[in-house]
Each structure stands twice: as C-alpha cells, then as structure tokens.
Amino acid sequence: MSTATYELLAASQSVWNVTAAFLGGLIVAGALIWAVRVGMRVMDQESPRPSPEDQPKLPEGGAVREMREMREPDEMPRVERKGSRLMPYEIHRSGSRTGQDQKRKRWLPGSSGAFGSGGPGHV
C-alpha cells in the first residue's frame, strides 16, 4: 500500500467520525429538548403557586419569642418489696410541672466539661 492509500483511508474514516459525532450530538440535543418539554407539561399540571396574599404574615404584636422555663421532674413512686413492679406506661414524662427555681443551672468555674470529654476542663 502506498502513502496515497493511507491518506484516502484516513480521510474516509475522518468523515465517518465527524458524521458519527454530529449524529450523537443531535441525539443528545433532541433528548434535552424532549426532557424540557416533558418538564413543562408536568409543571402545567401542578397546582398554581400561592399568591403574595396567601403567604404567612407576622402577627400584629410582632414576632413570637421563645419562652424558656425550668421544669421539675416527677418523683418515682415507691414500690413495696412484695408489690408489683412499675410498668413503662405508669411512669410519666420528665419535667411535668414548672419548677420553683427558674434560674438556669450553670457549670461551676474550674469544673470539667461534659462527662467523658477527656479535656482538662476549665483552668
């Protein structure tokens, strides 16, 4: 085979490669156009967006603030040795009534942080 034959084969393969790439691009572009049209049809079937009048508004008194209070736990009822054991449904949730002392409990200076933190604590 001569150099001219190789050049002819390379040119013909180049045409096929360009044609294949062009067809592949057309397929991808067609798929994207189809996806956009399907999405637009789905959006047309959805309920309309709420108008600005339907949006929530602040109360007349302004923003509602968080209320913080300290709660007292219920005491565990005493059970006699010969009595039946307490079942989970007989125990109430913790913190069922407002406590007498409403000051937040703070860590003492010089005490460590959380249990098992491994840190040296406040120094």
Side-chain angles (χ1 to χ4, degrees), residues 5-21:
T5 308
Y6 285 124
E7 288 178 8
L8 185 61
L9 285 174
S12 66
Q13 284 181 349
S14 172
V15 170
W16 287 112
N17 288 341
V18 169
T19 305

Side-chain angles (χ1 to χ4, degrees), residues 71-74 92-98:
R71 308 287 286 171
E72 283 185 6
D74 279 341
H92 300 291
R93 282 187 275 174
S94 173
S96 60
R97 53 182 192 256
T98 305

Side-chain angles (χ1 to χ4, degrees), residues 12-76:
S12 66
Q13 284 181 349
S14 172
V15 170
W16 287 112
N17 288 341
V18 169
T19 305
F22 181 73
L23 289 176
L26 280 178
I27 291 171
V28 169
L32 290 173
I33 291 171
W34 174 80
V36 168
R37 291 189 67 182
V38 168
M40 289 172 67
R41 258 189 259 137
V42 168
M43 284 181 65
D44 288 342
Q45 293 174 356
E46 291 177 351
S47 59
R49 292 189 176 129
S51 63
E53 294 82 31
D54 296 338
Q55 299 295 328
K57 300 195 177 12
L58 281 174
E60 294 295 326
V64 179
R65 300 290 177 217
E66 177 181 301
M67 187 177 98
R68 187 178 280 190
E69 68 178 355
M70 305 306 286
R71 308 287 286 171
E72 283 185 6
D74 279 341
E75 297 296 325
M76 286 292 290

